[in-house]
């Protein structure tokens, strides 16, 4: 179902069990320290919460709730399974005897695995039962054995690799979505607007949203803080401090924190405007409540393109069976109700949800009835825009590398497919500038957008960028690039298809070009701009808000 070939993973470096245990304990100490330092950093960046979880917001252009049906905005919801999810017990090779031989105490019994309708070799963990209907309806895709070459078994380093889309031996200082967001909003670092493009609820994955020159972020820490922000315009009282040098320093720190709440008003307003169409279950782990917040912010018209939430606890070294079953139950019930919610909000065709984890687990169980750090694991995707099904075959348990599976799909192929076919980024830009990797495109998505289609290939002869700022009050800049000189027209249309401005109609040289659209005299609302060249044409939307 995809146009890539299996790739073998390089040998994973492993020492003795004692060496592994000591290294693992040391890393957990580092992990705890890193989380503590991140929480300190959040104070200087600003912090508040929606729904009792830290919410970090990354800036960019907002997209209003106004009429947007012609070329709706695509949204990606990332669900991080922190700790290293056991892929073999998530998508179970229940017809492979080697699976049961190597996991005598923790394997999912054949009769309990939920057989996937498109295969007689794979089934889901029984705790994933709420997802059966999504798979059956074609709204769920499973990408098997996702990983990368020269795999590392470190929580930290592997997480950084996934966040940055780096090679294993060289970690980029920016994130794959940060590069995407800044490429789509080139004026952000000079003129950041009032609404966010990306929202992080809980966790600490700021690197994913770090762009080449802009690092946008703030953290929400409680609903009470959000209430204070709305009522008083500040979170921390800068006057109620001791009349001492320490008090002066505290006041300054609070002032810095208050000043950093650039997007608090936009988040608060969207949260107040929005609502959930369904009651979310009270599930341990906060994933359900955090996804409820995501759905509410989408309904409230926040305009963010990316949301990130987390579920922790997947580092199952001991007594895995019950722990993993509970985690997958939380995951399945939370995703199920979230997808029902966005469907009721009539936004499900524009929402894509994806799980990821820093690595999988080793194939053989360990002496504590758990599993140790491994390599490849499945990625799960959910949404009405998907070509549902299983991508990749069952794991090859006959050819392991030190107890680890060889990966089949590079994780950057999943990223590249999302950027190219979901968000509509030109393949050359995705491959060269955003990922730096010659990825294999997957056939994950069923339909292109009617306009500006991410579902199909964009013409290679030109690139049309998103206007900036967007929304805009009076004027905005449209940028495009040409590979070769030639005739070009750029026109702006209203939603009835009437031309309201002819911006370009002449022969232009190869290279980068910018043109200003002045909307003086035009009403607020959604507009479309279209470029036509000898290599093809493309249309994008923009919003005027006065």
């Amino acid at each position: 179902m995809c146009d890539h070939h299996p790739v073998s993973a390089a040998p994973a470096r492993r020492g003795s069990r004692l060496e592994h245990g000591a290294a693992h304990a040391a890393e957990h100490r580092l992990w705890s320290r890193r989380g503590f330092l991140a929480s300190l950093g959040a104070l200087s960046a600003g912090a508040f919460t929606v729904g009792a979880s830290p919410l970090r917001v990354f800036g960019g252009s907002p997209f209003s709730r106004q009429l947007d049906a012609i070329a709706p905005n695509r949204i990606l919801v990332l669900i991080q399974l922190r700790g290293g999810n056991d892929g073999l017990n998530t998508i179970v090779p229940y017809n492979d005897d080697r699976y049961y031989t190597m996991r005598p105490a923790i394997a999912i019994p054949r009769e309990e695995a939920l057989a996937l309708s498109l295969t007689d070799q794979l089934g889901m963990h029984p705790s994933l039962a709420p997802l059966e209907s999504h798979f059956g309806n074609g709204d769920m895709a499973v990408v098997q054995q996702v990983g990368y070459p020269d795999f590392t078994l470190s929580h930290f380093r592997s997480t950084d690799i996934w966040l940055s889309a780096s090679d294993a031996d060289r970690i980029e200082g920016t994130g794959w979505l940060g590069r995407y967001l800044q490429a789509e909003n080139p004026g952000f670092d000079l003129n950041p607007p009032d609404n966010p493009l990306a929202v992080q609820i809980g966790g600490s994955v700021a690197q994913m949203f770090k762009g080449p020159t802009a690092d946008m972020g703030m953290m929400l820490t409680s609903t009470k803080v959000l209430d204070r922000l709305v009522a008083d315009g500040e979170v921390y009282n800068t006057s109620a401090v001791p009349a001492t040098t320490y008090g002066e320093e505290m006041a300054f720190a609070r002032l810095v924190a208050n000043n950093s709440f650039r997007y608090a008003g936009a988040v608060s307003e969207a949260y107040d405007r929005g609502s959930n169409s369904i009651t979310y279950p009270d599930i341990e782990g906060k994933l359900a409540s955090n996804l409820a917040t995501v759905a509410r912010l989408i309904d409230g018209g926040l305009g963010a393109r990316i949301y990130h939430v987390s579920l922790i606890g997947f580092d199952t070294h001991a007594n895995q069976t019950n722990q993993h079953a509970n985690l997958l139950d939380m995951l399945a019930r939370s995703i199920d109700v979230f997808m029902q919610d966005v469907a009721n909000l009539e936004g499900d065709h524009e929402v894509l949800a994806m799980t990821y984890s820093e690595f999988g687990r080793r194939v053989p169980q360990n002496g504590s009835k758990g599993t140790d750090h491994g390599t490849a694991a499945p990625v799960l995707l959910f949404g009405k825009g998907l070509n549902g099904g299983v991508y990749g075959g069952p794991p090859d348990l006959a050819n392991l590398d030190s107890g680890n599976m060889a990966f089949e799909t590079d994780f950057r192929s999943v990223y590249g497919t999302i950027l190219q076919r979901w968000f509509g980024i030109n393949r050359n830009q995705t491959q060269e500038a955003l990922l730096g990797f010659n990825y294999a495109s997957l056939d994950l998505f069923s339909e292109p957008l009617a306009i500006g289609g991410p579902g199909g290939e964009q013409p290679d002869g030109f690139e049309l960028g998103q206007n900036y700022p967007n929304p805009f009050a009076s004027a905005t800049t449209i940028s495009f690039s040409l590979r070769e000189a030639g005739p070009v027209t750029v026109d702006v249309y209203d939603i009835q298809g009437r031309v309201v401005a002819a911006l370009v109609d002449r022969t232009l040289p190869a290279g980068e070009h910018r043109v200003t659209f002045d909307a003086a005299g035009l009403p607020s609302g959604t507009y479309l701009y279209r470029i036509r060249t000898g290599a093809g044409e493309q249309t994008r939307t923009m919003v005027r808000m006065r």
Side-chain angles (χ1 to χ4, degrees):
M1 297 181 71
C2 53
D3 62 358
H4 71 292
H5 301 284
V7 181
S8 295
R13 294 181 292 275
R14 294 185 58 84
S16 68
R17 182 172 297 278
L18 288 175
E19 290 171 338
H20 172 74
H24 183 70
E27 180 171 350
H28 272 285
R29 288 194 296 271
L30 180 59
W31 205 354
S32 299
R33 181 184 176 195
R34 183 171 176 177
F36 174 68
L37 293 175
S39 69
L40 292 180
L43 174 62
S44 63
F48 60 103
T49 68
V50 171
S53 289
L55 187 151
R56 188 172 182 120
V57 183
F58 299 85
S61 305
F63 295 83
S64 77
R65 300 180 66 199
Q66 299 182 42
L67 184 58
D68 206 13
I70 297 177
N73 297 301
R74 293 282 173 96
I75 292 171
L76 173 64
V77 180
L78 292 164
I79 304 170
Q80 181 187 22
L81 310 182
R82 292 180 59 190
N85 179 44
D86 182 9
L88 276 179
N89 277 18
T90 301
I91 303 299
V92 183
Y94 65 88
N95 271 337
D96 192 331
D97 290 337
R98 288 164 296 212
Y99 166 70
Y100 293 97
T101 299
M102 288 185 278
R103 295 187 166 202
I106 67 169
I108 305 303
R110 283 185 174 89
E111 63 275 13
E112 294 183 15
L114 306 174
L116 297 174
S117 58
L118 301 182
T119 175
D120 60 358
Q121 297 177 315
L122 297 171
M124 292 192 295
H125 189 291
S127 290
L128 297 180
L131 303 180
E132 279 192 293
S133 61
H134 298 275
F135 189 87
N137 293 334
D139 302 335
M140 174 182 172
V142 178
V143 184
Q144 283 283 82
Q145 284 79 257
V146 181
Y148 55 84
D150 300 320
F151 215 94
T152 175
L153 301 181
S154 161
H155 287 291
F156 267 141
R157 189 166 183 85
S158 193
T159 297
D160 288 344
I161 289 168
W162 277 80
L163 299 184
S164 61
S166 300
D167 291 329
D169 60 350
R170 179 181 54 84
I171 304 297
E172 295 285 346
T174 57
W176 72 284
L177 287 172
R179 297 191 293 272
Y180 157 65
L181 292 173
Q182 192 162 0
E184 287 292 280
N185 299 271
F188 169 80
D189 51 343
L190 299 176
N191 182 29
D194 295 330
N195 295 69
L197 263 184
V199 175
Q200 175 191 330
I201 305 178
S204 180
V205 294
Q207 182 187 0
M208 180 180 284
F209 302 107
K210 184 177 181 181
T213 62
D215 187 9
M216 309 88 65
M218 70 180 188
M219 190 73 76
L220 296 171
T221 56
S222 75
T223 51
K224 291 182 179 179
V225 173
L226 181 59
D227 292 340
R228 290 204 304 270
L229 199 77
V230 174
D232 305 329
E234 65 177 12
V235 172
Y236 301 105
N237 189 328
T238 56
S239 59
V241 296
T244 62
T245 302
Y246 170 75
E248 292 176 1
E249 293 174 352
M250 182 185 297
F252 177 75
R254 290 180 174 184
L255 177 62
V256 171
N258 288 335
N259 288 343
S260 67
F261 281 85
R262 175 182 298 148
Y263 304 110
V267 172
S268 174
E269 291 169 8
Y271 190 78
D272 288 343
R273 282 195 305 264
S275 62
N276 297 112
S277 64
I278 190 170
T279 300
Y280 282 69
D282 183 12
I283 301 175
E284 181 185 358
K286 296 185 180 179
L287 180 60
S289 61
N290 288 345
L291 286 175
T293 297
V294 171
R296 185 165 173 172
L297 291 174
I298 292 172
D299 183 55
L302 180 62
R305 305 297 303 276
I306 316 290
Y307 292 87
H308 188 283
V309 295
S310 301
L311 181 60
I312 65 173
F314 286 89
D315 201 15
T316 51
H317 286 279
N319 302 317
Q320 173 177 304
T321 301
N322 290 337
Q323 180 183 351
H324 195 235
N326 290 337
L327 288 165
L328 293 183
D329 175 70
M330 295 178 203
L331 178 69
R333 289 198 288 153
S334 299
I335 290 177
D336 177 47
V337 72
F338 172 72
M339 296 309 298
Q340 290 183 53
D341 196 2
V342 295
N344 293 340
L345 300 174
E346 300 182 352
D348 56 332
H349 282 80
E350 310 312 323
V351 175
L352 172 69
M354 184 187 93
T355 70
Y356 76 98
S357 191
E358 64 263 40
F359 43 59
R361 318 296 294 187
R362 280 168 55 82
V363 176
Q365 70 180 52
N366 61 26
S368 302
K369 297 184 179 180
T371 50
D372 296 325
H373 298 182
T375 54
V379 164
L380 311 180
L381 301 102
F382 305 88
K384 292 290 186 182
L386 287 168
N387 279 327
V390 178
Y391 291 73
D396 184 0
L397 301 185
N399 296 292
L400 302 182
D401 183 0
S402 300
N404 289 312
M405 293 181 294
F407 79 92
E408 180 179 343
T409 299
D410 194 292
F411 74 107
R412 290 163 292 189
S413 291
V414 180
Y415 288 176
T417 301
I418 289 172
L419 291 173
Q420 178 190 348
R421 298 186 180 273
W422 184 251
F423 285 128
I425 304 299
N426 179 274
R427 179 183 172 88
N428 290 331
Q429 181 187 7
T430 298
Q431 180 172 304
E432 297 169 10
L434 300 182
L435 296 182
F437 178 76
N438 186 15
Y439 65 91
S441 183
L442 310 178
D443 189 27
L444 284 172
F445 299 107
S446 55
E447 297 178 358
L449 284 177
I451 295 176
E457 293 285 343
Q458 294 186 5
D460 287 333
F462 67 89
E463 292 182 6
L464 177 63
Q466 184 65 52
N467 66 297
Y468 192 87
N470 185 47
F472 59 97
S474 58
T476 188
T477 298
I478 297 170
S479 60
F480 58 93
S481 63
L482 306 175
R483 287 185 177 271
E484 299 178 355
V488 178
T489 62
V490 178
D491 298 314
V492 179
Y493 300 80
D494 63 18
I495 58 174
Q496 281 77 40
R498 298 171 296 198
V499 176
V500 297
L503 302 181
V504 179
D505 186 8
R506 63 185 184 276
T507 298
L508 293 176
E512 300 287 335
H513 299 276
R514 293 186 179 185
V515 61
T516 299
F517 170 51
D518 188 343
L522 294 174
S524 297
T526 300
Y527 293 85
L528 303 95
Y529 57 99
R530 174 176 294 174
I531 183 173
R532 292 186 177 91
T533 75
E537 63 181 55
Q538 186 185 358
T539 303
R540 286 183 177 266
T541 60
M542 55 185 172
V543 176
R544 186 184 188 199
M545 296 180 64
R546 292 189 293 177

